[in-house]
Amino acid sequence: MDQDTHCRAERELLEAVSRITTFSTSASDEEQNQPKAEISCQVRKEDPEKGDLQDSSASLSPNSSMTTKELQEYWRNEKGQCRQVKLLFEIPSTRIVEHHLSKYVMYKIIILQTGSFDSNKSVIERRYSEFEKLHRNLLEEFSEEMEDVTFPKKTLTGNFTEEIINERKLAFKDYLRLLYSMKYIRRSKKFIDFLTRRELKEAYGCLRGGHYTKALEILLEVIGLQERLTRGNPVAIVPTLCAIAVCHKDLENPASAFEYGEKALSRLHLHTSHRYYIPLLETMITLAYELGKDFLSLQEKLEEWKAKKDPIRVFTLKELAVREYVQ
């Protein structure tokens, strides 16, 4: 390849990188106005201490002194990371619940992730008053972002007619999609709690009552949704992973307990001050010994932590688990 051809090829690659960077920026700017999709085509790196994703495009610009080979490699990596990521919210059905003193409508919400060959879906139910509470909470924290978000109002009569229920089904579906389209809201604890807290409270209630099979069933349902909602903050699901490990351990299934314990421990390798770290290590040592696995490396981590920290009272993993969602 002569010098002119080489320079021309390099310029073309530089222009391609520039277009990718420009596209990533414009997609981010348009995010607030696109409730139905989130485009993720940026080169990103994870800050392990903050658990947040940061744009690293500033560290790499088309003016950097990269060779043609390096630019080609960058292009391949960048192209591989460009994929559409979004959660879809559907409300296909409802049911009317009647008690001796109350009557209300439960809305069935299906949450599905697309764009990643993920056919798994999460199914939850929420009533009007729970949507209303979410709206009030978000208005308090995100008044500016919520300024133009409308919420279906209550009516004095006809709340249980088919027409009103169908109208609210569509309204709540659009409401959830719009909230999810706003970055700060979809990452907020209040939004995530709305979608997971009811099920988690039920699961931990079962765990405290010794109903480990039922607790495990619920936890395994909710963990997938938690993972989807807390991308970029892997530590957030550690308590749920540990609760699953506790259930498996008490159901005398040490292999599965160890599997979920490993998942939790991998999320804490840079967060050794986390309240679950030492109880989890101690449980993993016990499980590894029982399963005939290597426990010496785990024991070394435990001893290393104890040598650096002042002796303090540490709860067992199960004691920590039963303290979750007590209110």
Side-chain angles (χ1 to χ4, degrees):
M1 182 185 292
D2 58 33
Q3 185 173 359
D4 290 341
T5 304
H6 177 84
C7 291
R8 185 166 60 255
E10 186 164 324
R11 281 198 303 272
E12 290 175 355
L13 282 168
L14 286 169
E15 290 171 0
V17 172
S18 179
R19 286 196 298 272
I20 285 291
T21 306
T22 302
F23 174 76
S24 298
T25 304
S26 61
S28 178
D29 292 341
E30 292 173 2
E31 183 181 29
Q32 296 291 334
N33 300 319
Q34 307 234 357
K36 293 187 179 179
E38 175 191 351
I39 306 299
S40 176
C41 292
Q42 296 177 339
V43 182
R44 292 184 172 184
K45 62 183 178 180
E46 184 175 341
D47 183 340
E49 289 300 321
K50 295 182 179 179
D52 197 10
L53 294 175
Q54 298 177 335
D55 187 2
S56 63
S57 59
S59 65
L60 180 60
S61 70
N63 294 325
S64 60
S65 55
M66 299 176 68
T67 66
T68 301
K69 184 177 180 181
E70 288 172 335
L71 282 167
Q72 289 173 336
E73 182 65 25
Y74 172 73
W75 166 260
R76 282 193 293 269
N77 292 338
E78 183 68 19
K79 188 176 180 181
Q81 291 181 20
C82 285
R83 63 183 180 88
Q84 189 179 41
V85 178
K86 64 179 179 179
L87 290 185
L88 295 179
F89 295 85
E90 300 292 341
I91 304 181
S93 61
T94 62
R95 64 187 179 94
I96 296 176
V97 179
E98 292 190 64
H99 295 300
H100 63 287
L101 293 176
S102 64
K103 181 179 179 181
Y104 53 87
V105 178
M106 294 293 291
Y107 297 86
K108 181 180 180 179
I109 306 168
I110 296 178
I111 306 162
L112 178 68
Q113 178 179 315
T114 64
S116 60
F117 305 104
D118 181 7
S119 61
N120 294 327
K121 63 183 179 181
S122 300
V123 182
I124 60 175
E125 283 189 318
R126 296 295 182 266
R127 55 186 293 189
Y128 181 96
S129 61
E130 291 173 294
F131 277 100
E132 193 175 38
K133 182 180 179 181
L134 170 66
H135 192 70
R136 288 197 307 269
N137 290 338
L138 292 178
L139 282 174
E140 291 176 2
E141 187 174 352
F142 305 101
S143 56
E144 185 175 344
E145 289 87 346
M146 296 289 293
E147 187 175 18
D148 297 322
V149 178
T150 59
F151 186 81
K153 302 296 182 182
K154 279 185 176 179
T155 59
L156 295 176
T157 60
N159 286 303
F160 300 101
T161 63
E162 184 177 354
E163 181 182 2
I164 293 295
I165 291 175
N166 286 333
E167 286 179 2
R168 286 183 178 168
K169 276 170 52 179
L170 295 174
F172 283 141
K173 179 180 73 172
D174 291 339
Y175 177 75
L176 290 173
R177 288 182 173 183
L178 181 57
L179 293 182
Y180 182 76
S181 74
M182 294 183 276
K183 179 174 66 175
Y184 294 109
I185 289 180
R186 73 168 171 267
R187 293 180 179 177
S188 71
K189 185 177 184 301
K190 292 176 180 178
F191 181 68
I192 294 172
D193 278 354
F194 169 77
L195 296 170
T196 60
R197 186 176 178 84
R198 171 199 275 261
E199 287 72 24
L200 287 171
K201 285 187 70 174
E202 181 183 359
Y204 279 99
C206 292
L207 194 158
R208 282 189 291 274
H211 306 296
Y212 302 117
T213 301
K214 180 62 177 178
L216 184 59
E217 178 185 337
I218 301 170
L219 290 168
L220 290 175
E221 285 286 334
V222 79
I223 188 66
L225 179 56
Q226 273 191 303
E227 288 176 324
R228 294 177 178 90
L229 293 168
T230 59
R231 289 187 181 276
N233 185 16
V235 177
I237 65 169
V238 165
T240 307
L241 290 171
C242 289
I244 293 173
V246 166
C247 289
H248 275 304
K249 186 173 184 294
D250 282 357
L251 289 169
E252 299 183 355
N253 190 354
S256 294
F258 189 84
E259 175 189 348
Y260 280 92
E262 275 192 318
K263 291 179 181 179
L265 197 59
S266 69
R267 288 161 169 79
L268 293 179
H269 71 285
L270 293 174
H271 302 271
T272 57
S273 61
H274 195 282
R275 61 196 172 96
Y276 270 84
Y277 182 69
I278 293 305
L280 179 58
L281 264 182
E282 292 174 338
T283 299
M284 291 294 286
I285 291 169
T286 302
L287 289 169
Y289 181 79
E290 182 178 350
L291 293 167
K293 295 179 178 290
D294 172 33
F295 63 89
L296 293 179
S297 59
L298 296 170
Q299 187 69 46
E300 287 174 1
K301 290 180 181 179
L302 181 61
E303 296 301 327
E304 180 183 348
W305 186 92
K306 288 181 177 179
K308 292 180 179 178
K309 304 287 184 179
D310 293 330
I312 57 174
R313 182 189 175 193
V314 178
F315 293 108
T316 67
L317 195 65
K318 186 173 182 178
E319 287 173 338
L320 277 180
V322 299
R323 282 168 168 76
E324 296 283 350
Y325 296 92
V326 292
Q327 295 181 352

